[in-house]
Amino acid sequence: HKQKGASGQTASIGQAEKVTSVGQTAIKQWQKMPSKLLADLLRKNAKSLGKGLPIYRPANNKTPSKGYRYRLIIPDTSKKGTTNRSDHDIVLLPALSVPNEEQAKEEAALLGLLYLFPTLPHERTLPDPYRATY
């Protein structure tokens, strides 16, 4: 016997904003950091894109007084007859340095989102400082 008339929806209980420890970015319940959004989209579209999960590597972070930058590497996972797949990896590096490591990683993720998914409206799910950058 099935219950008729019930929609099966659950009410979402409001949660307080989370604040990141390093960058002090306030994230609402429905928002995602750019690195999380990029990883989710790559996981979802892994077969159609032929790309793996992103790898973040520091780029010249030896002098923190000049700021931080992260290199984003999106590995190629397609098996189209090539023996060296790293030739087809996507490597992105932001032009500007930023004051902390968390923001540097997120800036690299924003660059990856723009490169791989330029038509999707990401600004809706990004927290405030990254929404303006996007």
Side-chain angles (χ1 to χ4, degrees), residues 1 7 10 12 21 52 60 76-77 83 90 93-94 100 117 120 132:
H1 174 276
S7 64
T10 58
S12 173
S21 58
N60 301 333
D76 183 37
T77 58
T83 54
I90 297 172
L93 181 66
N100 62 49
F117 306 100
L120 294 179

Side-chain angles (χ1 to χ4, degrees), residues 39-61:
D40 289 349
L41 284 169
L42 283 171
R43 194 174 292 115
K44 180 180 174 185
N45 299 309
K47 289 186 180 179
S48 63
L49 288 175
K51 303 293 178 195
L53 291 179
I55 301 166
Y56 299 94
R57 298 266 162 81
N60 301 333
N61 289 345

Side-chain angles (χ1 to χ4, degrees), residues 38 92 108-120 122 133-134:
L38 179 62
L92 302 170
L110 276 175
L111 198 56
L113 283 169
L114 260 172
Y115 184 83
L116 290 172
F117 306 100
T119 58
L120 294 179
H122 304 297
T133 305
Y134 188 79

Side-chain angles (χ1 to χ4, degrees), residues 56 61 68-70 94 98 100-109 130:
Y56 299 94
N61 289 345
Y68 295 94
R69 288 193 322 174
Y70 267 79
V98 290
N100 62 49
E101 287 186 60
E102 177 189 286
Q103 189 176 355
K105 181 180 172 184
E106 301 304 332
E107 293 285 335
Y130 304 112

Side-chain angles (χ1 to χ4, degrees), residues 12-29:
S12 173
I13 299 172
Q15 295 176 348
E17 291 182 353
K18 295 178 191 172
V19 177
T20 59
S21 58
V22 180
Q24 299 299 316
T25 304
I27 305 170
K28 294 184 173 91
Q29 182 180 2

